[in-house]
Each structure stands twice: as C-alpha cells, then as structure tokens.
Amino acid sequence: MEGIEYFKDKERMNQLEQMSSNVTNFYGPVNNMQMQQGTVNSTQIQTISTESIDFEKVSEFIERVKKYDPLLEDEYGEQATDVREKLDEISFLVQKKENPGKIKSLLMELKNLSVGVGGSLIATGIVEGIKLLFM
C-alpha cells in the first residue's frame, strides 16, 4: 500500500502545480528582490551589498565637469551628447540621493567614454577624477 500512496501524493502534487497561478504586481521601485515560483523544497541564497557613495563628492565632481560643457564637442565629437546625458542622469540621481549602484555604473560608462578619447585634457581629468571618487 505504501507504494500506491507515493503515486497518489505525486499525482496530487502534479495537479496542484498545474492549477496554481502566480501573480506578482509591483507598483513602485523594487530592490534586492528574489522570487521562485513553481518549485518544491528549493533554497535560495541572496547576498545584498549595501553600496554607498559620497553623494557630495560626486555632485562636486559633476559640477566641475559641467563647467567644460562648451568644449565637449571638440573633445568628444559625436559622443558629446552621450557624455552630457550621463552627466545629467548622474546629477539627477545624486540630487535625489538615490541608487548608488546606478550612479557608479553611469560613472564607469562616463569613464569608458573618456578613456576612448586620446590626448584630451578634459577626458583625462574625468578618468582621474572618477578614480579618486572610489579610493
């Protein structure tokens, strides 16, 4: 009888899995969320690092770079628009003191754009300034 019970339990589990419905609604920002659906006896491990950033230092750095805005076309050419967009997005996030991970990512993108510009004093200053922000 014990073997038959196993198959009955297995059949019930299969029916439950087929009948279940998962709906997840998010009506705002979600951070560090981890979810599994339709799994049995599973485990998850999540490592959350609390990224921190000195918003004041980043803000000062961005404002210094923005002073050179009229020269960006000469230095970056077609990429000047990308540089401005990144500067504006970083500035917006820093003012709201939000999403340090995104700010770091944008700074790295700005650094990569600047590394590609050879012989530019502004680009070199941006690269070195970003390095100093993370020391």
CSV table of all heavy atoms in Angstrom, one decimal, residues 89-119:
chain,number,residue,atom,x,y,z
A,89,GLU,N,22.1,62.6,-15.9
A,89,GLU,CA,21.4,61.5,-15.2
A,89,GLU,C,22.1,61.3,-13.8
A,89,GLU,O,21.4,61.1,-12.8
A,89,GLU,CB,21.5,60.2,-16.0
A,89,GLU,CG,20.6,59.1,-15.4
A,89,GLU,CD,20.5,57.9,-16.3
A,89,GLU,OE1,20.9,57.9,-17.4
A,89,GLU,OE2,19.9,56.9,-15.8
A,90,ILE,N,23.4,61.4,-13.8
A,90,ILE,CA,24.1,61.3,-12.5
A,90,ILE,C,23.7,62.4,-11.6
A,90,ILE,O,23.4,62.2,-10.4
A,90,ILE,CB,25.7,61.3,-12.7
A,90,ILE,CG1,26.1,60.0,-13.5
A,90,ILE,CG2,26.4,61.4,-11.4
A,90,ILE,CD1,27.6,60.1,-14.0
A,91,SER,N,23.7,63.6,-12.1
A,91,SER,CA,23.3,64.8,-11.4
A,91,SER,C,21.9,64.6,-10.8
A,91,SER,O,21.7,64.9,-9.6
A,91,SER,CB,23.4,66.0,-12.2
A,91,SER,OG,23.2,67.2,-11.5
A,92,PHE,N,21.0,64.1,-11.6
A,92,PHE,CA,19.6,63.9,-11.1
A,92,PHE,C,19.6,62.9,-9.9
A,92,PHE,O,18.9,63.1,-8.9
A,92,PHE,CB,18.7,63.4,-12.3
A,92,PHE,CG,17.3,63.0,-11.9
A,92,PHE,CD1,16.4,64.0,-11.7
A,92,PHE,CD2,17.0,61.7,-11.7
A,92,PHE,CE1,15.1,63.7,-11.3
A,92,PHE,CE2,15.7,61.3,-11.4
A,92,PHE,CZ,14.7,62.3,-11.2
A,93,LEU,N,20.3,61.7,-10.1
A,93,LEU,CA,20.3,60.7,-9.1
A,93,LEU,C,21.0,61.2,-7.8
A,93,LEU,O,20.5,60.9,-6.7
A,93,LEU,CB,21.0,59.4,-9.6
A,93,LEU,CG,20.2,58.7,-10.6
A,93,LEU,CD1,21.1,57.6,-11.3
A,93,LEU,CD2,18.9,58.1,-10.1
A,94,VAL,N,22.0,62.0,-7.9
A,94,VAL,CA,22.8,62.5,-6.8
A,94,VAL,C,21.9,63.5,-6.0
A,94,VAL,O,21.9,63.4,-4.8
A,94,VAL,CB,24.1,63.1,-7.2
A,94,VAL,CG1,24.7,64.0,-6.1
A,94,VAL,CG2,25.1,62.1,-7.7
A,95,GLN,N,21.2,64.3,-6.7
A,95,GLN,CA,20.3,65.3,-6.0
A,95,GLN,C,19.2,64.6,-5.2
A,95,GLN,O,18.9,65.0,-4.1
A,95,GLN,CB,19.6,66.2,-7.1
A,95,GLN,CG,20.5,67.3,-7.6
A,95,GLN,CD,19.8,68.1,-8.7
A,95,GLN,OE1,18.7,67.8,-9.1
A,95,GLN,NE2,20.5,69.0,-9.2
A,96,LYS,N,18.7,63.4,-5.7
A,96,LYS,CA,17.7,62.7,-5.0
A,96,LYS,C,18.3,61.7,-4.0
A,96,LYS,O,17.6,61.1,-3.2
A,96,LYS,CB,16.8,61.9,-6.0
A,96,LYS,CG,16.0,62.8,-6.9
A,96,LYS,CD,15.1,61.9,-7.8
A,96,LYS,CE,13.7,62.4,-7.5
A,96,LYS,NZ,12.7,61.5,-7.9
A,97,LYS,N,19.6,61.6,-4.1
A,97,LYS,CA,20.4,60.7,-3.2
A,97,LYS,C,19.8,59.2,-3.3
A,97,LYS,O,19.5,58.6,-2.4
A,97,LYS,CB,20.4,61.1,-1.7
A,97,LYS,CG,21.1,62.4,-1.6
A,97,LYS,CD,21.3,62.8,-0.2
A,97,LYS,CE,22.0,64.1,-0.2
A,97,LYS,NZ,22.8,64.5,0.9
A,98,GLU,N,19.7,58.8,-4.6
A,98,GLU,CA,19.1,57.5,-4.9
A,98,GLU,C,20.1,56.7,-5.7
A,98,GLU,O,20.9,57.2,-6.5
A,98,GLU,CB,17.8,57.7,-5.8
A,98,GLU,CG,16.7,58.2,-5.0
A,98,GLU,CD,15.4,58.3,-5.9
A,98,GLU,OE1,15.5,58.1,-7.1
A,98,GLU,OE2,14.4,58.6,-5.3
A,99,ASN,N,19.9,55.4,-5.6
A,99,ASN,CA,20.5,54.4,-6.4
A,99,ASN,C,22.0,54.5,-6.6
A,99,ASN,O,22.5,54.8,-7.7
A,99,ASN,CB,19.8,54.4,-7.8
A,99,ASN,CG,19.9,53.0,-8.4
A,99,ASN,OD1,20.7,52.2,-8.1
A,99,ASN,ND2,19.0,52.8,-9.4
A,100,PRO,N,22.8,54.3,-5.6
A,100,PRO,CA,24.3,54.4,-5.7
A,100,PRO,C,24.8,53.5,-6.7
A,100,PRO,O,25.8,53.8,-7.4
A,100,PRO,CB,24.8,54.1,-4.3
A,100,PRO,CG,23.6,54.0,-3.4
A,100,PRO,CD,22.4,54.0,-4.2
A,101,GLY,N,24.2,52.3,-6.9
A,101,GLY,CA,24.7,51.3,-7.9
A,101,GLY,C,24.6,51.9,-9.3
A,101,GLY,O,25.5,51.7,-10.1
A,102,LYS,N,23.5,52.5,-9.6
A,102,LYS,CA,23.3,53.1,-10.9
A,102,LYS,C,24.3,54.3,-11.1
A,102,LYS,O,24.8,54.5,-12.2
A,102,LYS,CB,21.8,53.6,-11.0
A,102,LYS,CG,21.5,54.3,-12.3
A,102,LYS,CD,21.5,53.3,-13.5
A,102,LYS,CE,20.9,54.0,-14.7
A,102,LYS,NZ,21.0,53.3,-15.9
A,103,ILE,N,24.5,55.1,-10.1
A,103,ILE,CA,25.4,56.2,-10.2
A,103,ILE,C,26.8,55.7,-10.5
A,103,ILE,O,27.5,56.2,-11.4
A,103,ILE,CB,25.5,57.0,-8.9
A,103,ILE,CG1,24.1,57.8,-8.7
A,103,ILE,CG2,26.6,58.0,-8.9
A,103,ILE,CD1,23.9,58.4,-7.4
A,104,LYS,N,27.2,54.6,-9.8
A,104,LYS,CA,28.6,54.0,-10.1
A,104,LYS,C,28.6,53.5,-11.5
A,104,LYS,O,29.6,53.7,-12.2
A,104,LYS,CB,28.8,52.9,-9.1
A,104,LYS,CG,29.2,53.4,-7.7
A,104,LYS,CD,29.5,52.2,-6.8
A,104,LYS,CE,29.9,52.7,-5.4
A,104,LYS,NZ,30.3,51.6,-4.5
A,105,SER,N,27.6,52.9,-12.0
A,105,SER,CA,27.5,52.3,-13.3
A,105,SER,C,27.7,53.4,-14.3
A,105,SER,O,28.4,53.3,-15.3
A,105,SER,CB,26.2,51.6,-13.5
A,105,SER,OG,26.1,51.1,-14.8
A,106,LEU,N,26.9,54.5,-14.1
A,106,LEU,CA,27.0,55.7,-15.0
A,106,LEU,C,28.4,56.3,-15.0
A,106,LEU,O,28.9,56.7,-16.1
A,106,LEU,CB,25.9,56.7,-14.7
A,106,LEU,CG,24.5,56.3,-15.0
A,106,LEU,CD1,23.5,57.2,-14.3
A,106,LEU,CD2,24.3,56.3,-16.5
A,107,LEU,N,29.0,56.4,-13.9
A,107,LEU,CA,30.3,56.9,-13.8
A,107,LEU,C,31.3,56.1,-14.5
A,107,LEU,O,32.2,56.6,-15.2
A,107,LEU,CB,30.8,57.1,-12.3
A,107,LEU,CG,30.2,58.3,-11.6
A,107,LEU,CD1,30.4,58.1,-10.0
A,107,LEU,CD2,30.7,59.6,-12.1
A,108,MET,N,31.2,54.8,-14.5
A,108,MET,CA,32.0,53.8,-15.2
A,108,MET,C,31.8,54.0,-16.7
A,108,MET,O,32.8,54.0,-17.5
A,108,MET,CB,31.8,52.4,-14.8
A,108,MET,CG,32.3,52.1,-13.4
A,108,MET,SD,34.1,52.5,-13.1
A,108,MET,CE,34.0,53.8,-12.0
A,109,GLU,N,30.6,54.2,-17.1
A,109,GLU,CA,30.3,54.4,-18.5
A,109,GLU,C,30.9,55.7,-19.0
A,109,GLU,O,31.5,55.8,-20.1
A,109,GLU,CB,28.8,54.5,-18.8
A,109,GLU,CG,28.1,53.1,-18.6
A,109,GLU,CD,26.6,53.2,-18.7
A,109,GLU,OE1,26.1,54.1,-19.4
A,109,GLU,OE2,25.9,52.3,-18.2
A,110,LEU,N,30.9,56.7,-18.2
A,110,LEU,CA,31.5,58.0,-18.5
A,110,LEU,C,33.0,57.9,-18.6
A,110,LEU,O,33.6,58.4,-19.5
A,110,LEU,CB,31.1,59.1,-17.4
A,110,LEU,CG,31.6,60.5,-17.6
A,110,LEU,CD1,31.1,61.1,-18.9
A,110,LEU,CD2,31.2,61.3,-16.4
A,111,LYS,N,33.6,57.1,-17.7
A,111,LYS,CA,35.0,56.9,-17.7
A,111,LYS,C,35.4,56.1,-19.0
A,111,LYS,O,36.4,56.5,-19.6
A,111,LYS,CB,35.4,56.0,-16.4
A,111,LYS,CG,36.8,55.7,-16.4
A,111,LYS,CD,37.1,54.8,-15.2
A,111,LYS,CE,38.5,54.2,-15.2
A,111,LYS,NZ,38.7,53.2,-14.2
A,112,ASN,N,34.6,55.1,-19.3
A,112,ASN,CA,34.9,54.4,-20.6
A,112,ASN,C,34.9,55.2,-21.8
A,112,ASN,O,35.7,55.1,-22.7
A,112,ASN,CB,34.0,53.2,-20.7
A,112,ASN,CG,34.3,52.1,-19.7
A,112,ASN,OD1,35.4,52.0,-19.1
A,112,ASN,ND2,33.3,51.3,-19.4
A,113,LEU,N,33.9,56.1,-21.8
A,113,LEU,CA,33.8,57.1,-23.0
A,113,LEU,C,35.0,58.0,-23.0
A,113,LEU,O,35.6,58.3,-24.1
A,113,LEU,CB,32.6,58.0,-22.8
A,113,LEU,CG,31.2,57.4,-23.3
A,113,LEU,CD1,30.1,58.3,-22.8
A,113,LEU,CD2,31.2,57.2,-24.8
A,114,SER,N,35.5,58.4,-21.8
A,114,SER,CA,36.6,59.3,-21.7
A,114,SER,C,38.0,58.6,-22.0
A,114,SER,O,38.8,59.2,-22.6
A,114,SER,CB,36.7,59.9,-20.3
A,114,SER,OG,35.5,60.6,-20.1
A,115,VAL,N,38.1,57.3,-21.7
A,115,VAL,CA,39.3,56.6,-22.0
A,115,VAL,C,39.5,56.5,-23.5
A,115,VAL,O,40.6,56.6,-24.0
A,115,VAL,CB,39.2,55.2,-21.4
A,115,VAL,CG1,40.3,54.3,-21.9
A,115,VAL,CG2,39.4,55.3,-19.9
A,116,GLY,N,38.4,56.4,-24.2
A,116,GLY,CA,38.4,56.3,-25.7
A,116,GLY,C,38.8,57.6,-26.4
A,116,GLY,O,39.1,57.6,-27.6
A,117,VAL,N,38.9,58.7,-25.7
A,117,VAL,CA,39.3,60.0,-26.2
A,117,VAL,C,40.7,60.2,-25.9
A,117,VAL,O,41.1,60.5,-24.8
A,117,VAL,CB,38.4,61.1,-25.7
A,117,VAL,CG1,38.8,62.5,-26.2
A,117,VAL,CG2,36.9,60.9,-25.9
A,118,GLY,N,41.6,60.1,-26.9
A,118,GLY,CA,43.0,60.2,-26.7
A,118,GLY,C,43.5,61.6,-26.7
A,118,GLY,O,43.0,62.5,-27.5
A,119,GLY,N,44.4,62.0,-25.8
A,119,GLY,CA,45.0,63.3,-25.8
A,119,GLY,C,44.1,64.4,-25.4
A,119,GLY,O,44.5,65.6,-25.6
